[in-house]
């Protein structure tokens, strides 16, 4: 037994090794998420702020002044991904504690499996021969022949991709709108709403901010925002006749973790598609990678999906962009077409 | 191959082996024969040839047969042993006598050579094949599982220190939580599996006697290597065993190695300590951390009976008396909340009739050490734990716990911040000592009998510490670096770090903090101490001690079972509760296996608040889809259906024991027009709720006269329509809604008679179309009350019979009734006279569950020139089999029903097919 003095970088490497993360890097997203997974398992059940504090204390000497914010964000991501579960401690919704999810995997279209949850002391369950662990950001992937079968044999639960991403089911834009149309029809007629703003489907869909405007001579269905006295404005779907408000329904989240804006973005995509001007996904090849660009903000489930195989980047003229391997890009383009009714637009790349 | 020679050779081989192992107490196995693979094949052929000549296995070659049977056992796939045996020896006559012969030779092998004898539940259940299979040591099909299980238990075995062979086998058996039956059977053979571990441990160690012959073991290892990661599992297990202080006591050979682990240190037994948990900002929950009483009681030989003679309660707790045996549940990891202040004398446990033999061994552990005010240090995990040293240190955070408020002067001098406590009558203060304390601060501390000390501190860095309250140490795993940060209250020249008695000196850098890596520590407990040397004052400052426990990682399935949460899933996403109940969607539970999940439904009112909780029962994880469906379907039961139908939101919650609850939420569209059941069973009423705001018309139909409509005034419907026996269908219509409910009630008759419902159709001239309209109205009604289903069947049956009579004629229906009642044979019923091939086809075809049944019916009708109109054929077939599914759009033309009346051969054929299908179903059900 020896006692060895460590520099900060050596300490970081020792910590990374203990957590099964690559060494020689700064405090990487993967190291951070591994530290959270490990800590969450140790201290569970735990409140979110307590977990953040427990992770921060031993890592503070290794991070900068923004480390606490990074930890908060990473915990939020792990909760959103379902690696850490929010459970009510005594059956009351207000009394929420965190627990790690049992080891689970999600089969993706490219054959890889996303690993979720914490396998106790191991963090990641020891994988059988023939399977390789990969990392993208804080997310763990398993690849190899018959990966799903081998993971199931290992005792992991399987979760469907739809359920995991909180992703909507695939349906035609008109079918999707039909449900909203019915809800709108069932709403009582209403008077005017001051400071109402609508997303004008007639305006070019490659400039999102330029589509917002007050109702003028508009007729038809529009995604809109109506003011709220305190807090963020309500998202709603409105029916206008020559600029006059006829009916509206508030867009309420369908699940506890969903946000109304996710539904609103998808509604707008459906309105654009049904109106004959589907939203576009720009596809640019850059240095062996494919950059997918979107001109409207993606719902959170879509953003999560795109960051699994891609990394956020910038691209000229688009609102958000993700760079990824071409094989993954094809799968995501299909998902964008199925779920957001986007059409593909090839761009010149380098 | 000469079998006589082979028998002689085996006899000598096994005798030598038995002699060699006699001192060790290891038995021998038939698989440990000296033959290689080619010889084995030749041997099997020779035995089979011998069988062909003699018809029975020859006793003179009994050892050869034992070896051959063990070889078959080695190739056994877990399903059928004897077919494999016969495959190996094609001339084998598989009778009980022959099988018994094989068993008797294995028994003789056991008696004469001290060979292995199978034991355990499996051996009792399979008294013959248990011999050859267990003598094959480790059948191929179990090798991968065994290697994986061994791998998962490797640290548990290593941690066990010294065990005997059977102890290891028992450990392997007890650590298996899987459900593979055959593997469970193998683990019952604890001596055998223990010897396999011993063989692994002694492999390649020349001086040790292996419990498995080297060639046999090499063969096993080579075969294991063919199972993907099994070879790696075996290698890593061997490494883990050899790196640890693990040793095996062979039954006859004594312990070969043992001794205390280098890392183990002796620590004073812990006593009760105060602890506090911050449940909210500045709000603390005070508790006592109870040390490991269970081990002390067991070590002292205290029996459960002695404990049962007394009851115990915690003074300051909730006041409840507990059974004396509760003391055995205190294993060092239990905290009990303090609801009231601790007693002045510090005696925290009270016994109603103390039994000295039981209380004496733990007496010193039941007293709160020290006197108030207590000093608690807030640790890295946010929990405040009692400090017995009563010295505060700079840059630390403390809680001062007192029964009475502290003097204002003290509070001011120490800059104490008062905290809130959930424990009544207790005062808590937060203390954050300055980096350099001045005289008033030290004096104020002194007034509380507290001191102030400078010195160094050891803090975990990099990895979040695992605190083990039982050993009061920080726990690391064998694969984790023990990295610590050393910080000092004052500038120091160097630190002296002592690890398990060995001292290291480290110069302090420019910054006060140092990071150290203690390197890989052996399993066990270790003590680290740091002392700061201050050059300015020329002496050492207060030191800090840290206890560290190093343990092996717990295999993940069992670790997860103890900690992971539960997730409820719904597939497909966005499905409704009705989708789940009608099997269009699936609610699933993802949770650690082997736990109990209690399911409940939470109903919410229009105000958004929960109005009711309904227990749906408990399921063991993993929850089978059928079990989940069965639980959820309770929501459609009589007692719940109505309340569920009226709830705008329903949450399905899964409560995983004490681990918490996961929910999924279903928005439940509540119809603006709906019926509910009111009144007592003797005076049932159907009450209409109308939220439409529009015009609503209400009518009712009696079960006894289901085709006669009665208008009901809306006011009466809103206050409640009285339901007369045998039942009533109520219908409410508005511009947008049409809702109906069927309520069945008991009449004057009781018992089974009440289930027989007399239904008469009032209108003799009712046509097929009108019958179908009535049929669908009754079919679509929501059932309310226990007898509603029974009443609906009766009404639907009446309409079905009317349709049949219209289409097939009264005379034919009478004949059909006779066939249905069993008074005539199915062959007596024909579509027309004389019968044709069409009749035969209707009777002989199995129409049940055929997706192409309608097409087939049309094809046959066309072939026998009964009807060539496929549309009409489809209508006839649907009317006979499932009239409720017929839609207007299914009719080929408006006059379809009239046209069918002119085609009795076709309609009778359809009904004949239906009668034949039902007869077939009854036959299959054995009725």
């Amino acid at each position: 037994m020896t006692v060895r003095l460590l520099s900060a970088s050596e300490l970081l490497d020792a910590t990374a090794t203990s957590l099964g993360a690559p060494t020689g890097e700064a405090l990487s997203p993967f190291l951070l998420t591994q530290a959270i997974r490990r800590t969450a398992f140790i201290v569970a059940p735990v409140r979110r702020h307590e977990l953040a504090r427990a992770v921060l204390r031993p890592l503070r000497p290794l991070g900068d002044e923004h480390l606490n914010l990074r930890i908060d964000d990473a915990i939020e991501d792990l909760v959103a991904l379902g690696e850490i579960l929010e459970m009510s401690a005594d059956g009351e919704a207000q009394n929420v504690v965190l627990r790690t999810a049992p080891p689970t995997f999600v089969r993706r279209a490219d054959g890889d499996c996303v690993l979720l949850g914490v396998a106790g002391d191991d963090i990641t369950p020891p994988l059988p021969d023939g399977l390789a662990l990969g990392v993208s950001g804080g997310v763990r992937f398993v690849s190899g022949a018959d990966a799903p079968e081998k993971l199931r044999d290992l005792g992991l639960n399987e979760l469907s991709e739809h359920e995991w991403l909180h992703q909507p089911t695939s349906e035609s834009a008109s079918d999707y709108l039909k449900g909203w149309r019915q809800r709108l029809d069932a709403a009582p007629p209403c008077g005017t709403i001051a400071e109402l703003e609508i997303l004008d489907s007639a305006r070019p869909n490659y400039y999102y901010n330029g589509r917002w405007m007050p109702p003028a001579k508009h007729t038809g269905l529009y995604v809109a925002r109506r003011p709220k006295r305190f807090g963020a404005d309500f998202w709603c779907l409105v029916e206008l006749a020559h600029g006059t408000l006829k009916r509206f329904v508030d867009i309420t989240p369908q699940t506890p973790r969903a946000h109304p804006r996710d539904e609103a973005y998808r509604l707008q995509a459906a309105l654009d598609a049904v109106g004959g001007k589907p939203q576009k996904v720009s596809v640019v090849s850059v240095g062996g990678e494919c950059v997918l660009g979107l001109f409207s903000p993606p719902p959170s489930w879509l953003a999560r999906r795109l960051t699994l195989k891609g990394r956020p980047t910038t691209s000229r003229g688009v609102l958000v962009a993700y760079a990824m391997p071409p094989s993954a890009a094809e799968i995501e383009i299909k998902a964008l077409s199925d779920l957001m009714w986007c059409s593909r637009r090839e761009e010149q790349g380098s | 191959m000469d079998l006589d020679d082979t028998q002689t050779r085996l006899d000598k081989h096994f005798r030598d082996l038995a002699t060699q192992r006699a001192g060790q107490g290891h038995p021998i196995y038939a698989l440990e024969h000296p033959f290689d693979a080619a010889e084995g094949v030749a041997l099997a052929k020779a035995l089979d040839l011998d069988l062909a000549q003699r018809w029975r296995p020859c006793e003179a070659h009994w050892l050869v047969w034992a070896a051959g049977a063990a070889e078959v056992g080695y190739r056994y796939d877990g399903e059928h042993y004897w077919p494999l045996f016969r495959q190996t020896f094609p001339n084998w006559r598989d009778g009980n006598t022959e099988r018994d012969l094989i068993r008797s030779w294995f028994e003789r092998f056991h008696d004469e050579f001290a060979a292995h004898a199978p034991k355990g539940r499996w051996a009792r259940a399979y008294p013959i094949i248990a011999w050859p299979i267990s003598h094959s040591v480790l059948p191929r099909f179990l090798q991968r599982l065994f290697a994986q299980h061994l791998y998962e238990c490797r640290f548990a075995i290593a941690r066990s220190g010294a065990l005997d062979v059977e102890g290891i086998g028992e450990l392997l058996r007890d650590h298996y939580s899987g459900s593979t039956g055959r593997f469970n059977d193998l683990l019952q053979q604890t001596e055998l599996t223990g010897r396999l571990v011993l063989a692994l441990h002694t492999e390649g160690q020349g001086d040790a006697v292996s419990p498995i012959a080297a060639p046999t073991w090499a063969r096993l290892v080579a075969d294991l290597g063919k199972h993907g990661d099994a070879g790696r599992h075996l290698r890593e297990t061997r490494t883990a065993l050899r790196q640890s202080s693990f040793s095996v006591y062979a039954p006859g050979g004594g312990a070969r190695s043992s001794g205390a682990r280098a890392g183990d240190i002796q620590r004073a037994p812990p006593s009760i300590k105060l602890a506090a948990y911050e449940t909210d900002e500045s709000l603390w929950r005070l508790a006592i951390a109870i040390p490991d009483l269970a081990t002390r009681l067991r070590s002292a030989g205290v029996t459960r009976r002695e404990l049962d003679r007394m009851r115990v309660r915690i003074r300051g707790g909730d006041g409840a008396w507990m059974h004396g045996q509760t003391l055995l549940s205190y294993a060092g990891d239990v905290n009990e909340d303090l609801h009231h202040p601790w007693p002045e004398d510090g005696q925290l446990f009270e016994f109603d009739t103390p039994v000295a033999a039981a209380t004496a061994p733990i007496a010193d552990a039941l007293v709160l050490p020290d006197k108030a005010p207590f000093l608690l240090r807030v640790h890295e995990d946010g929990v405040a734990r009692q400090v017995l040293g009563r010295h505060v240190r700079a840059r630390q955070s403390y809680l001062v716990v007192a029964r009475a408020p502290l003097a204002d002067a003290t509070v001011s001098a120490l800059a104490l911040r008062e905290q809130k406590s959930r424990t009544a009558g207790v005062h808590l203060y937060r203390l954050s000592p300055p980096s350099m304390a001045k005289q008033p601060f030290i004096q104020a501390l002194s007034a509380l009998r507290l001191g102030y000390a400078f010195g160094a501190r050891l803090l975990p860095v990099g990895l979040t510490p695992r605190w083990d309250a039982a050993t009061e140490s920080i726990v690391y795993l064998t694969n984790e670096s023990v990295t610590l940060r050393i910080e000092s209250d004052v500038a120091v020249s160097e630190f002296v770090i002592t690890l398990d008695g060995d001292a290291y000196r480290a110069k302090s850098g420019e910054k006060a903090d140092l990071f150290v890596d203690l390197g890989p520590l052996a399993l066990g407990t270790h003590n680290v101490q740091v002392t700061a040397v201050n050059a300015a004052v020329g002496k050492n400052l207060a030191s800090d001690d840290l206890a560290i426990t190093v343990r092996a990682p717990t295999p993940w399935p069992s670790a997860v079972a103890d900690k992971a949460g539960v997730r409820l899933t719904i597939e497909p996403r966005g499905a409704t509760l009705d989708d789940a109940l009608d099997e269009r969607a699936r609610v699933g539970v993802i949770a650690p296996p082997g736990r109990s999940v209690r399911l409940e439904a939470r109903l919410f009112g229009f105000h958004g608040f929960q109005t009711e909780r309904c227990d749906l029962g408990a399921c063991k994880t993993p929850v089978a889809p059928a079990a989940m469906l069965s639980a959820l379907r309770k929501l459609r039961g009589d007692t719940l259906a109505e309340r569920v139908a009226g709830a705008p939101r329903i949450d399905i919650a899964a409560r995983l024991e004490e681990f918490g609850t996961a929910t999924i939420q279903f928005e439940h569209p509540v119809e603006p027009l709906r019926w509910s059941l009111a009144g007592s069973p003797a005076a049932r009423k159907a009450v209409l709720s109308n939220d439409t705001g529009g015009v609503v018309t209400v009518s009712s139909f009696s079960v006894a006269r289901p085709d006669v409509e009665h208008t009901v005034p809306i006011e009466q419907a809103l206050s409640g329509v009285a339901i007369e026996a045998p039942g009533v269908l109520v219908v409410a219509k508005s511009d947008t809604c049409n809702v109906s409910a069927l309520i069945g009630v008991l009449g004057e008759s009781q018992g089974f008679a009440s289930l027989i419902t007399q239904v008469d159709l009032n209108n003799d001239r009712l046509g097929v179309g009108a019958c179908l309209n009535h049929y669908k109205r009754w079919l679509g009604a929501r059932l309310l009350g226990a007898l509603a289903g029974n009443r609906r069947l009766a009404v639907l049956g009446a309409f079905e019979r009317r349709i049949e009579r219209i289409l097939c004629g009264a005379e034919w229906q009478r004949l059909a009734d006779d066939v249905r009642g069993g008074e005539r044979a199915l062959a007596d019923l024909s579509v027309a006279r004389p019968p044709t091939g069409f009749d035969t086809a209707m009777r002989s075809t199995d129409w049940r569950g055929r997706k192409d049944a309608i097409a087939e019916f049309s094809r046959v009708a066309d072939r026998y020139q009964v009807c060539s109109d496929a549309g009409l054929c489809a209508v006839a077939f649907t009317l006979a089999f499932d009239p409720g599914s017929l839609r207007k759009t299914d009719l080929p033309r408006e006059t379809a029903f009239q046209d069918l009346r002119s085609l009795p051969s076709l309609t009778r054929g359809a009904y004949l097919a239906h009668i034949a299908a039902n007869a077939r179903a009854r036959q299959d059900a054995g009725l």
Side-chain angles (χ1 to χ4, degrees), chain A residues 39-229:
Chain A
T39 306
F41 188 82
I42 292 170
V43 299
V46 62
R47 290 174 195 283
R48 192 182 284 239
H49 70 276
E50 290 168 346
L51 173 61
R53 191 169 59 186
V55 176
L56 178 64
R57 274 187 178 147
L59 286 180
R60 202 197 302 268
L62 300 173
D64 56 18
E65 70 271 27
H66 303 302
L67 182 59
N68 57 338
L69 299 177
R70 286 184 66 194
I71 290 171
D72 286 343
D73 288 349
I75 291 174
E76 174 59 31
D77 283 349
L78 289 174
V79 171
L81 287 170
E83 297 225 41
I84 294 177
L85 303 177
E86 284 183 320
M87 299 183 69
S88 52
D90 49 13
E92 299 302 327
Q94 303 88 332
N95 199 359
V96 170
V97 291
L98 303 182
R99 277 190 183 277
T100 53
T104 308
F105 71 92
V106 179
R107 190 195 303 232
R108 306 227 56 219
D110 58 3
D112 284 0
C113 294
V114 179
L115 271 188
L116 305 174
V118 180
D121 290 339
D122 294 322
I123 307 180
T124 300
L127 296 176
D129 284 352
L131 295 188
L133 184 72
V135 169
S136 171
V139 181
R140 295 163 295 171
F141 289 91
V142 171
S143 54
D146 304 325
E149 290 72 26
K150 287 179 179 168
L151 291 175
R152 237 193 324 267
D153 286 350
L154 202 60
L156 272 69
N157 298 293
E158 182 170 4
L159 190 65
S160 80
E161 190 178 59
H162 271 92
E163 176 65 27
W164 172 54
L165 288 172
H166 296 208
Q167 182 175 295
T169 46
S170 174
E171 60 186 327
S172 72
S174 54
D175 282 351
Y176 172 67
L177 279 181
K178 209 179 286 171
W180 281 101
R181 176 81 250 184
Q182 283 168 359
R183 287 172 67 174
L184 197 61
D185 288 346
C190 66
T192 55
I193 295 177
E195 298 175 49
L196 185 74
E197 285 228 309
I198 61 165
L199 258 175
D200 187 357
S201 306
R203 293 205 166 191
N205 61 17
Y206 52 77
Y207 181 47
Y208 175 74
N209 289 339
R211 304 181 86 186
W212 282 105
M213 61 182 308
K217 297 283 183 192
H218 297 85
T219 297
L221 299 189
Y222 293 89
V223 169
R225 297 199 76 174
R226 65 185 184 89
K228 188 159 81 170
R229 193 165 174 196

Side-chain angles (χ1 to χ4, degrees), chain B residues 323-363:
Chain B
H323 289 293
Q325 283 199 26
T326 308
L327 293 171
L328 290 174
S329 67
Y330 295 123
D333 52 359
V334 178
N335 290 327
E336 294 281 5
D337 284 2
L338 280 183
H339 300 275
H340 310 286
W342 56 92
E344 290 283 7
D345 59 4
Q347 293 285 349
L348 276 160
F349 278 70
E350 182 181 1
F351 301 92
D352 60 347
T353 49
V355 176
T359 56
I362 52 172

Side-chain angles (χ1 to χ4, degrees), chain A residues 219-249:
Chain A
T219 297
L221 299 189
Y222 293 89
V223 169
R225 297 199 76 174
R226 65 185 184 89
K228 188 159 81 170
R229 193 165 174 196
F230 300 105
D233 290 351
F234 286 111
W235 287 89
C236 50
L237 179 67
V238 299
E239 182 183 6
L240 300 174
H242 304 290
T244 308
L245 184 62
K246 293 290 180 193
R247 288 181 165 84
F248 79 93
V249 281

